[in-house]
Amino acid sequence: MADYIGMFAVTTGLGINKKEKQFEADNDDYSAIMLKALADLFAEAFAEALHARVRRELWGYVPGETLDNTAMIEEKYRGIRPAPGYPACPNHLVKQDMFDVLQANEIGMTVTESLAMLPAASVSGFYIAHPESTYFSVGKIADDQVENFAQRMAISKNDAERALAPLLRESQRRNIGEVSYGYFDFPYTRRDAKAVMAAATHSFNRHGESRK
């Protein structure tokens, strides 16, 4: 059976900083926040729509897939789309290599020293197509695993501990400091985001059909 794995990076935040600063100059904090929130939601929707096209057309392993919005929200499609920093892939350090391989800078996407994505309204991750692939959470890790990770990544143990801080047991925690990856909390739930994703994918599919 053929199997597939890949990477992706999408953004809908190019150029919004100018408009955001305009809102802030006008003391219109609400519009500035909503602009960022909508950009972030559309980035998630873009990732969902692209994943659907990969499944149905580019890799074509489910060419006849027909899912309604509810099924999309419940992730009934085949395969998974894990992202760095989430439970299945808590290591943010892979972002730099991922962006290098994808040449994300060609579309204006970069990562900061603290591994936050720019523009902020961006999504990146992996496509895993195997029918038995499922999301999971990485549990707490032991000291020997930290050392092994550091060796394979060619970084110091201290840097490895900082990168994997959420996975360390309390007894392993040293003075590693706080690590921030520049996330912004928007006033919507994951279910809200998935509803927008599903609607955008539906619109994407209808647009594609109208062009045939």
Side-chain angles (χ1 to χ4, degrees), residues 158-170:
N158 185 63
D159 286 343
E161 289 173 332
R162 290 173 65 86
L164 303 176
L167 304 181
L168 300 181
R169 297 182 174 89
E170 288 299 324

Side-chain angles (χ1 to χ4, degrees), residues 134-181:
T134 58
Y135 289 102
F136 60 91
S137 296
V138 177
K140 298 298 183 182
I141 60 176
D143 201 54
D144 64 317
Q145 291 172 296
V146 177
E147 293 176 352
N148 182 273
F149 174 82
Q151 182 178 4
R152 286 185 290 110
M153 293 291 292
I155 59 178
S156 70
K157 184 177 180 181
N158 185 63
D159 286 343
E161 289 173 332
R162 290 173 65 86
L164 303 176
L167 304 181
L168 300 181
R169 297 182 174 89
E170 288 299 324
S171 60
Q172 294 172 281
R173 293 184 182 276
R174 299 177 174 83
N175 297 322
I176 59 176
E178 295 295 328
V179 180
S180 172
Y181 293 103

Side-chain angles (χ1 to χ4, degrees), residues 42-63:
F42 278 116
E44 294 284 357
F46 189 2
E48 191 73 69
L50 183 61
H51 192 193
R53 187 181 179 196
V54 166
R55 294 193 306 271
R56 300 167 188 173
E57 301 176 32
L58 302 181
W59 290 355
Y61 59 86
V62 284

Side-chain angles (χ1 to χ4, degrees), residues 100-161:
D100 288 345
V101 171
L102 292 172
Q103 298 179 315
N105 63 302
E106 293 188 1
I107 61 169
M109 291 183 67
T110 59
V111 292
T112 67
E113 289 186 1
S114 60
L115 301 177
M117 291 183 288
L118 294 177
S122 300
V123 180
S124 63
F126 303 95
Y127 290 140
I128 299 177
H130 195 281
E132 296 181 11
S133 58
T134 58
Y135 289 102
F136 60 91
S137 296
V138 177
K140 298 298 183 182
I141 60 176
D143 201 54
D144 64 317
Q145 291 172 296
V146 177
E147 293 176 352
N148 182 273
F149 174 82
Q151 182 178 4
R152 286 185 290 110
M153 293 291 292
I155 59 178
S156 70
K157 184 177 180 181
N158 185 63
D159 286 343
E161 289 173 332

Side-chain angles (χ1 to χ4, degrees), residues 21-41:
K21 289 178 180 178
Q22 179 183 327
F23 284 137
E24 292 174 346
D26 293 337
N27 295 318
D28 189 355
D29 293 337
Y30 176 80
S31 293
I33 291 172
M34 287 305 298
L35 175 63
K36 289 188 241 183
L38 287 171
D40 192 67
L41 282 170

